[in-house]
Amino acid sequence: VQAFLAYEHNVVVQLPPDAITARVEAAQRACTDAKFGQCVVLNVWQNGGDLPSATLGMRLVPEAVEPMVALASDGARLGSRSTRAEDLAVAVRDNDLAQQRLRKERERLQEFQARRDLAVADMIALSKQLAETEAQLEAIEQAGAQHRRRIDTQLLTIEFRPTSTQEGRNEIWLALRESGATLATGMAWTIRTLAFLLPALLVLAGLVVAIRRWRRRKR
């Protein structure tokens, strides 16, 4: 029984921050040059700064998946990896049936169109219906080609992250660097709160003093 499975792979590679850009470029170049077989780069995303990271998405032939993962993780740490497969058997079957139905309908319309005893109105109606059928057939054929592409090739997404130790150090450094701004923000909010509450506190203090004086006089 023929399998109609569309595979998707997600890989996380951890390596020193200063090596991420070069590794992404190497993997992208290997895909563009078809080093391991047919390959198309779908997306590239990179984030610099204190916590650099990158993501590379590719669609490639099945035999190129493992060599590409090996290239991306060479000398690095393979953080995690997951693979999922979507069964397209029903979609492929329904698409084939739809193509067969539309091709038969197109042949039938072409046979009617070839008749010479048709009125002009009938000829116009047939031409319109034939054009609609051909448009539907083209759309169905494109969907079928997409199904075949997903079955014949596989989707590989590689996420490049800094090593856990370096990531922890960067987060500590960021926290220390931002602590001054956090402290200033906290003091500013405290000052605003005191300024907002000061009139109420003054009124309350005045009431307390007045009540105490009234009690003393009463005694």
Side-chain angles (χ1 to χ4, degrees):
V1 180
Q2 184 178 3
F4 298 95
L5 300 178
Y7 283 92
E8 297 181 4
H9 308 273
N10 290 277
V11 178
V12 176
V13 175
Q14 294 180 329
L15 66 168
D18 55 357
I20 291 179
T21 300
R23 189 61 57 88
V24 173
E25 291 176 352
Q28 184 178 356
R29 186 166 53 254
C31 179
T32 304
D33 297 342
K35 183 176 181 179
F36 306 117
Q38 182 185 356
C39 180
V40 177
V41 175
L42 301 179
N43 58 79
V44 182
W45 177 85
Q46 287 185 270
N47 179 40
D50 297 308
L51 288 174
S53 60
T55 301
L56 177 62
M58 298 166 283
R59 180 164 289 282
L60 63 178
V61 291
E63 57 269 20
V65 173
E66 294 305 326
M68 186 64 73
V69 173
L71 183 149
S73 60
D74 183 28
R77 177 183 176 187
L78 193 60
S80 63
R81 178 172 180 173
S82 63
T83 300
R84 65 180 294 268
E86 181 181 356
D87 191 353
L88 298 179
V90 175
V92 171
R93 181 200 63 192
D94 293 344
N95 186 275
D96 289 342
L97 292 175
Q99 288 190 41
Q100 294 175 15
R101 177 180 60 80
L102 288 171
R103 288 193 181 102
K104 290 180 179 179
E105 183 176 350
R106 183 179 61 181
E107 292 177 0
R108 182 175 59 84
L109 292 173
Q110 288 173 342
E111 290 176 357
F112 277 112
Q113 196 177 36
R115 293 174 54 178
R116 298 182 178 181
D117 57 343
L118 290 176
V120 175
D122 294 335
M123 181 66 70
I124 294 174
L126 277 173
S127 298
K128 182 179 178 180
Q129 189 172 355
L130 181 59
E132 293 177 355
T133 301
E134 289 179 342
Q136 293 177 13
L137 179 59
E138 183 179 357
I140 291 294
E141 288 175 344
Q142 290 178 355
Q146 181 64 19
H147 292 154
R148 178 49 56 187
R149 179 170 176 263
R150 293 184 60 193
I151 294 169
D152 294 340
T153 61
Q154 300 183 5
L155 180 63
L156 174 62
T157 302
I158 304 177
E159 185 177 353
F160 298 88
R161 298 178 184 175
T163 55
S164 300
T165 303
Q166 184 65 39
E167 186 175 1
R169 291 176 181 174
N170 288 339
E171 289 179 355
I172 293 174
W173 168 248
L174 285 174
L176 291 174
R177 194 177 68 177
E178 295 173 357
S179 60
T182 303
L183 180 60
T185 302
M187 292 182 64
W189 276 106
T190 302
I191 293 171
R192 291 191 183 97
T193 303
L194 290 175
F196 178 79
L197 295 177
L198 185 59
L201 292 175
L202 292 175
V203 173
L204 181 61
L207 289 174
V208 171
V209 172
I211 292 173
R212 286 181 178 178
R213 288 179 179 178
W214 177 76
R215 287 181 177 178
R216 289 175 183 176
R217 291 177 182 177
K218 187 176 181 182
R219 291 176 183 175

